[in-house]
C-alpha cells in the first residue's frame, strides 16, 4: 500500500514540480490560437506607374482544424460547404493535409471571397459552426484582364513541396506561383501580422482577440513594361494569326512578341498567345483553371499558361542568318563585300539544298544576301564552317553561345528555356544505341548538312524569342550583350495601395551588359543589310516597313517545323521577324513569332510593325506584305 | 455454522446495553475525522472544479453536499447495524448484487454507449457502486462460512464463480474499470480468508491471461470482447502521443492539466484545462487531474495523505475484527478503496489505463459518495464490535 502511494507521489512530483512549467506552457498553448493577419500584397505597375495588379479586399471563411468538434465535424463541413458553394472534398483534403503535417492550429481557408449575406448568416449562426472563423483577405485584381498574364503570374496557397523547399513560409501562406508574383514574392508579400485568439475546447472564444503585431503591406514592383505597348503587342499576335489564317495558314494558332530597349535590356512588352485572364486563379473554379493546370485540357487549348516569349523554343530560320554572318566575319572566313552566287538550289556532298526562292540567280554581297534572305549564300557560309580544320573547333556554335543562345538569358522572371545550339558533342550524346537503335551510327555523326542547315537557322537549332531579341539588341547597340529584365525597381507603395504618388524607390535593378568587343565594321555591314531588307525594293519586309516614318531595320524568318496537329504530321512554317529602330539610334528591338504562320514577311513582319507604330506613335502609310522568307 | 451465529447472539444480548453506552468510546474517531476531512476536502475541490460548468457555480457542490448528507445518514445507520446482519442474510445480499446489476442494463439510461445508471425520480443511481460493497459483504460471509475448508480448491473455485457473475455483468454494461475493482475485491477477500497461495497465483495468472486475451490476443484472432474505443483507451496510456486527437486525447489533456498545476496550482479561475473544458469529465473520472491543476502538488498531496490515512485506519480495523467475517469484510472494503484510488489517480497521471471509475469521496456522483460512506459505516461497525 505504501509502495502504491509512493509511486503516485513520485509521479506527481515529476509531473508538477520537475516539469510543471513545460506542461503549463502546453496548457497555455491549448487555448491560444495564433492567427495571421493577412498583409496586403504590393501592387505591380508598368513603367509609367499604371497599376496592373492590385488587391481587392475580401472576406474569407477559414477553419481551424483543431477546433472542429470531435463528433459531427463532417456534418458541419457539409453544411458550411453547401452555404459557400465549395466542393466538400476540397476542404476535407486540406484539413487532412493539415493534420498530416501536424499543424491543426493554422486556419485553413475554405473560401476567399465570400459574399455579404453568407458572412452575415455565419455570424448569426456562429454557435453552429465551431472552429469556423471569418478573416479579412486580399484577392489579386487584374485591372487589364489578360494583359501580360503569363508574365505577371498569379498568387496561390503554398503547396506542400514548396513548403519543404522554401524557408520562412507557413502552411496556408499565399505566395506567388509563377511570373513576377513568384520571382519578386519576397518584396510583394509584405509581412503578415499576428493576432491571438483564446478559445475553449469547443473553439468558442473565451477572451477578446489580442493583436500582437500589425501586418506590413508589401512593396510595389515597377516593371519596365509599357502597358500600352504590351496591349499592342498582344493585339499584334492576334492580328498576325488572323492574317495567317487569311493566307490559308490554317494551323496558325499561337505566337509571341518581345520588345525591349537595346540600350539596357529593359523589356517593354512580352506577349504570348493564347493567353488567359489571371482572375481565374483568384476564384476557386476548377473548370476555368483546367486549361492552365490540366495537361490534357491545356494541350487542346494550345497551352495558354506557357509564356512563349521566354519558354517557347523554335528554330529561328532566316532571322538566324545575321548570327551566322557575324560569326563568319569574326572568324575571317567571310568577306562581306565579296560576292557569292545566289542560286535556286545548291548541291553539297551529293545533297541538294533548296533556296526559298527557286528562281534566284544573282551574285550577292552580304548585305544583299541578308536583304533578300538568300539561303544558298548562307549554305556556302555553312559549308565554310564545316570545312574548317578540326583544330578551329566549332566557331559558329561558340559565337552563338557568346551571343546568348543555348542558355538562359538570365531574365528576372521565369520559367525560361535555354534552347539548343547543336554541336558535335551534342549529336554524339543524343543519338546512341539506346535512343536510336537503327540509325544511331549515322545519326551521331556531324555531317556537312548539319553545318549547312545550322547556317540558316534550321534543323536542330532551337531558340526563344527573347534570345533572338537579345541578339538583335546586340546588333542595335553595337556589340553589347544586354541582360533582359522586366522589373525596374521596388518602391514603397502609396496610400491605399493604389496609384503611387511620389514613390520612394527602395531598390533599382540594372542588370549588367556585357561588351563583346566585336568588329564594328562587321556589325555595321549587318545593320546595313537589315536596313536594306526593310527598305530596298527586293528586301523581304520592305513592303511592310518601307513606308514607316521611322527607320526600322530587321529580318524575316520562315522556319520549317514538323508539327503534329490532330494526329497527323504536317510541315508548317514558323513565321519570324526581328529588328530594331530608329536605325540611327535604336531604342526598341522587336521580335515577333507566329507559330505555323507561314512566311515571315507576310505575317510576323506586319505584327512587329504594329508594335513599332504604338511605340513611336506613328502609323505606316499602307503596307504590302510579301510571301518572302 | 448455524450454532456459531446463535452463540454470538446469546453473548451479544446481555452485553448490549454496555456496548451501546460505549459506542462513542469504541468508534474509530481518527477514521471518522479523516473521512469527514476527506468529504469536506472533496466538496471544496468540486466547488473549484465545477465552478465554470453551470451558470450557477454552486450547482454541483450543492448536489454533492446533499449526497454526502444522505451518505452520512446511511453510514450512521450502518454503524448501528451489527456486521453479523450481513452474514446472516448473505444469500439476500448476493441476490441484491445480481438484481441491481441486471436491472441496470435492462432499465438503465444509456449514457455514452454504456448502461450503468438507473433513473429513480430526479436521481440517477449507479448500481455497480453499491454492488461493490454488497459483493465484499457476500464474499466475506461465504468465505467465513467455509472457514474450515478454506484451503480446498472447491472453496476458491466457488468464491470465484460467485464473483465472476457480477464481474461479467459489470463488464457487459460495459464498465471495465469497475470490473477490475470487483476482481480486486475477490482477490483481497480470498487473500485475507487464507486461501492457498497457489490458488491465488492461479487466479492472478488467469486474470492476466484474460486481460492479455481481451486486449491483444483476441483482436489478433478477431475475437473482440472489448469495444474498440475501450481497447484504444486502455492500451493508449502506454503511448499517449500516438493519437492526440482521438483515443489518447483524454490522457494527454489530463497529464497536461496535472503538470500545469505546478507546486501551488493555478486556482479555479486560472486553470484553463478545466475551465475551458479541454479536460473532459473533469468533475467525475478526471477529478484528480482537475484538482491537481487547480490546487497543485500541495493540494494533490493533501488528498493523497488523507487517503493514505483512511486506508491505514481501515487496515487497522482488519486486525481488530472480532471474527473472520469482519476481518475479511474490512479487508475487502479497504482494498477496494485502495484499488479505486490507485487506478483513478494512476490514470490521470498516465500510469494506469483510462477506465471510468470515480475518485472516492471526490468525484461528482451520488452513488459513489453514498456507497463509500456506507462502506465506512460497515468498517466502523466492525471496529465498534472489536475483540
Amino acid at each position: 500500500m505504501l509502495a502504491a502511494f509512493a509511486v503516485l507521489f513520485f509521479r506527481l512530483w515529476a509531473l508538477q514540480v520537475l516539469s510543471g512549467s513545460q506542461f503549463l506552457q502546453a496548457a497555455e498553448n491549448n487555448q491560444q490560437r495564433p492567427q495571421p493577419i493577412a498583409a496586403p500584397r504590393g501592387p505591380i505597375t508598368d513603367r509609367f506607374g499604371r497599376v496592373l495588379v492590385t488587391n481587392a479586399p475580401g472576406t474569407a471563411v477559414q477553419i481551424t482544424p483543431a477546433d472542429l468538434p470531435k463528433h459531427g465535424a463532417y456534418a458541419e463541413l457539409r453544411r458550411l460547404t453547401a452555404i459557400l458553394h465549395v466542393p466538400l472534398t476540397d476542404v476535407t483534403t486540406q484539413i487532412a493535409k493539415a493534420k498530416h503535417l501536424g499543424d491543426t492550429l493554422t486556419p485553413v481557408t475554405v473560401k476567399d471571397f465570400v459574399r455579404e449575406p453568407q458572412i452575415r448568416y455565419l455570424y448569426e449562426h456562429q454557435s453552429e459552426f465551431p472552429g469556423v472563423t471569418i478573416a479579412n483577405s486580399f484577392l489579386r485584381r487584374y485591372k487589364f484582364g489578360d494583359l501580360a498574364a503569363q508574365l505577371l503570374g498569379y498568387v496561390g496557397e503554398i503547396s506542400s513541396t514548396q513548403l519543404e523547399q522554401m524557408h520562412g513560409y507557413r502552411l496556408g501562406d499565399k505566395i506567388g506561383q509563377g511570373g513576377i508574383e513568384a520571382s519578386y514574392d519576397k518584396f510583394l508579400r509584405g509581412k503578415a501580422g499576428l493576432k491571438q485568439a483564446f478559445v475553449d475546447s469547443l473553439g468558442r472564444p473565451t477572451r477578446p482577440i489580442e493583436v500582437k503585431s500589425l501586418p506590413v503591406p508589401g512593396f510595389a514592383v515597377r516593371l519596365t513594361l509599357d502597358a500600352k505597348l504590351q496591349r499592342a503587342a498582344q493585339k499584334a499576335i492576334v492580328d498576325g494569326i488572323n492574317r495567317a489564317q487569311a493566307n490559308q495558314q490554317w494551323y496558325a494558332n499561337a505566337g509571341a512578341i518581345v520588345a525591349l530597349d537595346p540600350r539596357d535590356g529593359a523589356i517593354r512588352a512580352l506577349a504570348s498567345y493564347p493567353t488567359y485572364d489571371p482572375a481565374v486563379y483568384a476564384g476557386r473554379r476548377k473548370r476555368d483553371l483546367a486549361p492552365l493546370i490540366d495537361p490534357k485540357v491545356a494541350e487542346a487549348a494550345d497551352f495558354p499558361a506557357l509564356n512563349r516569349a521566354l519558354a517557347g523554343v523554335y528554330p529561328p530560320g532566316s532571322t538566324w542568318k545575321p548570327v551566322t554572318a557575324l560569326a563568319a566575319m569574326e572568324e575571317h572566313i567571310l568577306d562581306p563585300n565579296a560576292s557569292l552566287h545566289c542560286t535556286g538550289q545548291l548541291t553539297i556532298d551529293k545533297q541538294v539544298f533548296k533556296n526559298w526562292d527557286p528562281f534566284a540567280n544573282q551574285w550577292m554581297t552580304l548585305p544583299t544576301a541578308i536583304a533578300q534572305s538568300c539561303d544558298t549564300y548562307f549554305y556556302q557560309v555553312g559549308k565554310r564552317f564545316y570545312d574548317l580544320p578540326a583544330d578551329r573547333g566549332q566557331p559558329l556554335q561558340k559565337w552563338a553561345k557568346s551571343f546568348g543562345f543555348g542558355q538562359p538569358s538570365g531574365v528576372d522572371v521565369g520559367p525560361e528555356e535555354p534552347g539548343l545550339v547543336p554541336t558535335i558533342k551534342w549529336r554524339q550524346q543524343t543519338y546512341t544505341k539506346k535512343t536510336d537503335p537503327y540509325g544511331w551510327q549515322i545519326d551521331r555523326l556531324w555531317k556537312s548538312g548539319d553545318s549547312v542547315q545550322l547556317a540558316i537557322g534550321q534543323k536542330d537549332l532551337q531558340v526563344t524569342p527573347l534570345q533572338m531579341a537579345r541578339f538583335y539588341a546586340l546588333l542595335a547597340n553595337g556589340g553589347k550583350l544586354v541582360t533582359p529584365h522586366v522589373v525596374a525597381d521596388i518602391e514603397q507603395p502609396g496610400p491605399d495601395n493604389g496609384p503611387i504618388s511620389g514613390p520612394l524607390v527602395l531598390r533599382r535593378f540594372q542588370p549588367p551588359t556585357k561588351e563583346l568587343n566585336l568588329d564594328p565594321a562587321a556589325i555595321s555591314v549587318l545593320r546595313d543589310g537589315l536596313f536594306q531588307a526593310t527598305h530596298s525594293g527586293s528586301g523581304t519586309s520592305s513592303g511592310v516597313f518601307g513606308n514607316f516614318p521611322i527607320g526600322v531595320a530587321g529580318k524575316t524568318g520562315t522556319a520549317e517545323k514538323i508539327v503534329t496537329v490532330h494526329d497527323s504530321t504536317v510541315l508548317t512554317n514558323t513565321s519570324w521577324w526581328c529588328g530594331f529602330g530608329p536605325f540611327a539610334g535604336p531604342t526598341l528591338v522587336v521580335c515577333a513569332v507566329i507559330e505555323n504562320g507561314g512566311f515571315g514577311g507576310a505575317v510576323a513582319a506586319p505584327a512587329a510593325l504594329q508594335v513599332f507604330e504604338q511605340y513611336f506613335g506613328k502609323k505606316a502609310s499602307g503596307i504590302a506584305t510579301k510571301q518572302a522568307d | 455454522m448455524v450454532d456459531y451465529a446463535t452463540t454470538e447472539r446469546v453473548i451479544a444480548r446481555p452485553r448490549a446495553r454496555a456496548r451501546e453506552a460505549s459506542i462513542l468510546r469504541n468508534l474509530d474517531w481518527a477514521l471518522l475525522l479523516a473521512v469527514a476531512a476527506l468529504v469536506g476536502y472533496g466538496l471544496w475541490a468540486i466547488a473549484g472544479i465545477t465552478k465554470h460548468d453551470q451558470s450557477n457555480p454552486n450547482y454541483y457542490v450543492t448536489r454533492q453536499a446533499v449526497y454526502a448528507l444522505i451518505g452520512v445518514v446511511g453510514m450512521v445507520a450502518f454503524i448501528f447495524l451489527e456486521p453479523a446482519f450481513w452474514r446472516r442474510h448473505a444469500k439476500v445480499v448476493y441476490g441484491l448484487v445480481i438484481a441491481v446489476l441486471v436491472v441496470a442494463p435492462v432499465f438503465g439510461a444509456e449514457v455514452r454507449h454504456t448502461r450503468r445508471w438507473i433513473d429513480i425520480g430526479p436521481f440517477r443511481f449507479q448500481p455497480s457502486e453499491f454492488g461493490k460493497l454488497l459483493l465484499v459483504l457476500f464474499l466475506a460471509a461465504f468465505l467465513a462460512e467455509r472457514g474450515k475448508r478454506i484451503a480446498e480448491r472447491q472453496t476458491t473455485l466457488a468464491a470465484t464463480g460467485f464473483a465472476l457473475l457480477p464481474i461479467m455483468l459489470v463488464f457487459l454494461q460495459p464498465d471495465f474499470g469497475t470490473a477490475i475493482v470487483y476482481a480486486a475485491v475477490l482477490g483481497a477477500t480470498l487473500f485475507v480468508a487464507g486461501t492457498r497461495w497457489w490458488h491465488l497465483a492461479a487466479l492472478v495468472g488467469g486474470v492476466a491471461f484474460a486481460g492479455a486475451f481481451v486486449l491483444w490476443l483476441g483482436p489478433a484472432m478477431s475475437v473482440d470482447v472489448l469495444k474498440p474505443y475501450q481497447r484504444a483507451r486502455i492500451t493508449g496510456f502506454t503511448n499517449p502521443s500516438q493519437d492526440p486527437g482521438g483515443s489518447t486525447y483524454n490522457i494527454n489533456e489530463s497529464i497536461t492539466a496535472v503538470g500545469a498545476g505546478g507546486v501551488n496550482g493555478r486556482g479555479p479561475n486560472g486553470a484553463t484545462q478545466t475551465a475551458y473544458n479541454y479536460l473532459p469529465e473533469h468533475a467525475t473520472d478526471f477529478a484528480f487531474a482537475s484538482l491537481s491543476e487547480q490546487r497543485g502538488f500541495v493540494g494533490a498531496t493533501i488528498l493523497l495523505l488523507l487517503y493514505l490515512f483512511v486506508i491505514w485506519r481501515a487496515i487497522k480495523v482488519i486486525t481488530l475484527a472480532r471474527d473472520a467475517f469482519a476481518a475479511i469484510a474490512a479487508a475487502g472494503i479497504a482494498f477496494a478503496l485502495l484499488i479505486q484510488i490507485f487506478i483513478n489517480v494512476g490514470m490521470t497521471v498516465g500510469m494506469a489505463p483510462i477506465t471510468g471509475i470515480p475518485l472516492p469521496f471526490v468525484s461528482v456522483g451520488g452513488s459513489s459518495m453514498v456507497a463509500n460512506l456506507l462502506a465506512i459505516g460497515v468498517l466502523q461497525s466492525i471496529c465498534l464490535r472489536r475483540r
Side-chain angles (χ1 to χ4, degrees):
Chain A
M1 180 191 74
L2 279 173
F5 274 86
V7 164
L8 290 181
F9 275 121
F10 184 74
R11 176 71 174 163
L12 271 181
W13 177 267
L15 283 179
Q16 297 193 290
V17 181
L18 298 183
S19 42
S21 56
Q22 178 193 327
F23 285 107
L24 188 61
Q25 191 56 49
E28 287 293 331
N29 290 346
N30 231 344
Q31 47 147 353
Q32 291 175 356
R33 292 286 179 276
Q35 291 165 347
I37 309 174
R41 208 172 160 84
I44 302 175
T45 74
D46 83 344
R47 63 185 297 210
F48 301 114
R50 299 183 192 110
V51 179
L52 306 181
V53 189
T54 180
N55 298 310
T59 312
V61 171
Q62 301 175 322
I63 278 183
T64 308
D67 291 340
L68 281 171
K70 271 160 214 73
H71 301 288
Y74 187 77
E76 180 187 329
L77 290 177
R78 207 167 42 198
R79 271 183 293 135
L80 184 70
T81 49
I83 292 166
L84 300 179
H85 306 295
V86 183
L88 176 60
T89 47
D90 281 13
V91 182
T92 49
T93 36
Q94 281 202 75
I95 290 173
K97 194 170 86 183
K99 281 186 177 159
H100 177 72
L101 291 171
D103 180 359
T104 53
L105 295 183
T106 304
V108 166
T109 301
V110 180
K111 194 176 184 180
D112 263 321
F113 205 87
V114 184
R115 288 176 194 287
E116 189 56 36
Q118 293 160 323
I119 292 292
R120 228 179 299 128
Y121 180 88
L122 287 176
Y123 267 125
E124 281 161 11
H125 297 78
Q126 217 166 7
S127 60
E128 296 166 29
F129 294 97
V132 173
T133 47
I134 289 158
N136 289 332
S137 75
F138 296 97
L139 277 187
R140 284 310 236 182
R141 205 166 116 212
Y142 303 88
K143 272 188 157 173
F144 296 95
D146 65 5
L147 189 87
Q150 300 93 343
L151 175 65
L152 294 173
Y154 64 99
V155 175
E157 210 155 273
I158 192 164
S159 72
S160 22
T161 38
Q162 285 171 328
L163 204 55
E164 281 165 26
Q165 288 161 359
M166 301 162 81
H167 295 283
Y169 291 91
R170 291 168 50 123
L171 184 70
D173 273 358
K174 291 187 175 168
I175 67 163
Q177 300 279 19
I180 299 291
E181 296 277 21
S183 45
Y184 288 86
D185 189 66
K186 65 174 175 176
F187 298 106
L188 286 166
R189 68 195 312 256
K191 198 167 177 294
L194 185 72
K195 60 186 175 186
Q196 188 82 272
F198 300 88
V199 296
D200 67 6
S201 70
L202 297 177
R204 295 175 303 208
T206 55
R207 272 192 254 171
I209 288 171
E210 286 172 19
V211 174
K212 299 269 178 187
S213 62
L214 288 168
V216 182
F219 296 120
V221 167
R222 185 193 286 265
L223 305 181
T224 58
L225 213 68
D226 175 346
K228 287 189 175 166
L229 197 67
Q230 176 74 20
R231 175 60 75 213
Q234 290 187 203
K235 184 173 180 296
I237 302 175
V238 178
D239 290 351
I241 290 170
N242 290 337
R243 206 183 292 268
Q245 299 269 358
N247 295 342
Q248 281 104 47
Q249 298 294 331
W250 308 120
Y251 298 122
N253 53 5
I257 289 182
V258 178
L260 54 78
D261 189 326
R263 293 166 297 185
D264 62 357
I267 291 172
R268 299 295 181 220
L270 197 75
S272 177
Y273 184 89
T275 185
Y276 61 94
D277 184 348
V280 296
Y281 280 110
R284 242 179 218 261
R285 294 185 53 189
K286 280 242 167 76
R287 191 156 25 94
D288 296 342
L289 274 174
L292 304 176
I293 53 176
D294 183 344
K296 273 212 169 129
V297 185
E299 192 179 351
D302 289 318
F303 302 102
L306 175 69
N307 191 346
R308 290 172 154 79
L310 309 177
V313 289
Y314 310 91
S318 299
T319 49
W320 180 261
K321 284 170 183 165
V323 178
T324 307
L326 189 53
M329 286 187 285
E330 289 291 333
E331 290 293 318
H332 305 293
I333 57 171
L334 179 67
D335 175 356
N337 299 316
S339 291
L340 295 177
H341 195 191
C342 180
T343 52
Q345 62 180 54
L346 185 66
T347 307
I348 296 170
D349 292 343
K350 295 176 200 157
Q351 201 182 341
V352 177
F353 294 94
K354 286 183 177 163
N355 190 34
W356 68 272
D357 174 7
F359 309 111
N361 186 6
Q362 189 187 343
W363 288 83
M364 290 181 180
T365 59
L366 177 61
T368 314
I370 293 274
Q372 299 191 18
S373 198
C374 177
D375 292 330
T376 43
Y377 179 99
F378 282 94
Y379 292 150
Q380 296 170 58
V381 179
K383 183 68 165 56
R384 287 183 190 182
F385 275 111
Y386 181 74
D387 290 338
L388 284 175
D391 65 320
R392 291 282 295 270
Q394 299 161 270
L396 178 51
Q397 286 90 331
K398 187 198 82 190
W399 282 106
K401 289 246 165 178
S402 65
F403 299 150
F405 293 103
Q407 61 202 305
S409 69
V411 68
D412 52 349
V413 62
E416 194 185 2
E417 281 293 323
L420 173 70
V421 176
T423 59
I424 295 170
K425 201 173 159 198
W426 171 79
R427 279 209 86 81
Q428 285 173 348
Q429 285 172 349
T430 308
Y431 295 96
T432 62
K433 203 170 178 179
K434 219 183 229 171
T435 58
D436 184 13
Y438 301 108
W440 66 281
Q441 278 155 317
I442 304 290
D443 289 340
R444 68 197 291 267
L445 301 174
W446 184 272
K447 295 170 286 294
S448 59
D450 290 307
S451 288
V452 167
Q453 298 262 41
L454 180 61
I456 63 154
Q458 282 288 185
K459 222 176 166 211
D460 303 312
L461 179 67
Q462 289 195 316
V463 302
T464 66
L466 183 67
Q467 286 172 339
M468 285 311 287
R470 199 180 177 201
F471 173 72
Y472 276 79
L474 176 146
L475 297 179
N477 65 26
K480 290 197 289 284
L481 190 67
V482 295
T483 305
H485 58 280
V486 75
V487 171
D489 57 38
I490 304 294
E491 298 171 6
Q492 188 77 49
D496 300 333
N497 203 18
I500 295 164
S501 50
L504 181 63
V505 175
L506 300 170
R507 192 152 158 192
R508 208 180 289 282
F509 294 98
Q510 192 50 264
T513 53
K514 193 175 164 196
E515 176 60 62
L516 295 183
N517 295 316
L518 302 169
D519 179 2
I523 290 176
S524 172
V525 168
L526 282 172
R527 286 166 54 118
D528 200 28
L530 293 173
F531 191 77
Q532 284 186 34
T534 50
H535 289 85
S536 86
S538 51
T540 49
S541 54
S542 57
V544 177
F545 291 96
N547 295 326
F548 189 58
I550 307 289
V552 168
K555 178 82 197 74
T556 51
T558 310
E560 288 181 346
K561 196 171 89 173
I562 293 167
V563 293
T564 308
V565 186
H566 304 310
D567 298 327
S568 59
T569 313
V570 285
L571 188 70
T572 63
N573 289 320
T574 302
S575 185
W576 277 91
W577 192 92
C578 286
F580 50 84
F583 186 68
T587 55
L588 193 72
V589 167
V590 175
C591 238
V593 181
I594 306 293
E595 284 182 29
N596 316 325
F599 279 107
V603 173
L609 174 67
Q610 282 177 257
V611 180
F612 282 111
E613 283 179 336
Q614 168 63 38
Y615 187 76
F616 293 114
K618 293 195 164 71
K619 284 269 171 198
S621 50
I623 62 165
T625 59
K626 202 191 292 190
Q627 299 288 330
D629 171 18
Chain B
M1 297 303 264
V2 180
D3 52 346
Y4 187 84
T6 337
T7 327
E8 198 214 1
R9 209 177 293 159
V10 172
I11 300 164
R13 225 174 262 143
R15 291 189 188 166
R17 192 169 288 273
R19 266 265 165 87
E20 273 153 31
S22 64
I23 274 182
L24 292 179
R25 194 152 41 83
N26 284 338
L27 268 184
D28 186 341
W29 284 100
L31 177 63
L32 208 61
L33 280 175
V35 168
L38 203 48
V39 170
Y41 192 76
L43 287 174
W44 175 71
I46 285 300
I49 291 168
T50 60
K51 193 173 174 187
H52 304 278
D53 288 352
Q54 292 274 339
S55 49
N56 172 10
N58 295 323
Y59 175 81
Y60 281 110
V61 73
T62 315
R63 277 175 74 103
Q64 192 71 351
V66 169
Y67 290 134
L69 220 62
I70 295 170
V72 167
V73 171
M75 180 180 77
V76 170
F78 273 35
I79 290 174
F80 283 101
L81 210 59
E82 282 185 32
F85 170 85
W86 303 108
R87 202 175 140 191
R88 277 200 302 278
H89 301 103
K91 281 175 190 161
V92 180
V93 166
Y94 188 70
L96 216 56
V97 172
I98 301 304
V100 291
L101 291 179
V102 167
V103 162
V106 176
F107 302 102
E110 183 161 335
V111 178
R112 277 179 294 263
H113 314 295
T114 70
R115 290 179 181 277
R116 298 179 190 172
W117 287 272
I118 301 172
D119 287 326
I120 300 174
F123 297 104
R124 177 164 279 187
F125 161 78
Q126 190 176 355
S128 60
E129 286 298 318
F130 295 97
K132 201 155 33 191
L133 176 62
L134 294 173
L135 183 67
V136 168
L137 294 172
F138 166 74
L139 284 175
F142 177 78
L143 291 171
E145 186 135 341
R146 294 265 184 121
K148 285 172 186 162
R149 294 189 288 149
I150 197 71
E152 286 175 19
R153 197 169 48 212
Q154 282 87 339
T155 307
T156 309
L157 282 176
T160 307
F162 279 123
L164 217 50
L165 185 57
I167 288 174
M168 288 314 291
L169 285 172
V170 171
F171 189 82
L172 290 174
Q173 286 181 351
D175 185 351
F176 190 70
T178 305
I180 292 177
V181 175
Y182 279 28
V185 161
L186 171 67
T189 47
L190 282 172
F191 176 75
V192 174
T195 307
R196 291 195 168 196
W197 69 265
W198 69 266
H199 287 173
L200 274 178
L203 207 59
V204 170
V207 169
F209 176 77
F213 181 84
V214 161
L215 292 180
W216 292 286
L217 296 176
M221 298 184 285
S222 51
V223 180
D224 275 316
V225 183
L226 286 182
K227 317 232 160 177
Y229 84 91
Q230 285 181 308
R231 192 167 55 242
R233 283 199 325 194
I234 289 161
T235 54
F237 86 100
T238 55
N239 184 12
S241 50
Q242 65 182 356
D243 181 15
S247 60
T248 57
Y249 172 85
N250 292 6
I251 184 67
N252 269 317
E253 298 299 340
S254 174
I255 292 175
T256 304
V258 173
V263 177
N264 295 317
R266 308 171 81 192
N269 292 325
T272 53
Q273 288 290 95
T274 303
Y276 297 149
N277 216 14
Y278 286 104
L279 181 60
E281 301 291 330
H282 50 253
T284 54
D285 299 353
F286 287 97
F288 186 80
S290 211
L291 171 76
S292 301
E293 189 195 15
Q294 296 191 339
R295 311 296 177 189
F297 183 70
V298 173
T301 302
I302 290 172
L303 183 69
L304 287 183
L305 288 177
L306 283 173
Y307 280 140
L308 190 60
F309 187 80
V310 167
I311 290 168
W312 172 60
R313 293 309 297 186
I315 288 170
K316 224 168 138 67
V317 169
I318 304 174
T319 64
L320 295 175
R322 61 173 294 158
D323 55 25
F325 167 76
I328 297 169
I333 289 168
F335 195 70
L337 206 55
L338 176 66
I339 193 97
Q340 281 187 80
I341 292 163
F342 189 77
I343 290 181
N344 183 286
V345 173
M347 93 179 174
T348 62
V349 295
M351 296 176 68
I354 305 252
T355 52
I357 61 172
L359 186 63
F361 304 109
V362 177
S363 286
V364 164
S367 303
S368 163
M369 175 66 93
V370 173
N372 283 317
L373 283 171
L374 291 180
I376 297 296
V378 173
L379 272 182
Q380 288 287 13
S381 155
I382 291 167
C383 179
L384 204 59
R385 294 158 182 89
R386 68 177 73 147
R387 275 200 298 255

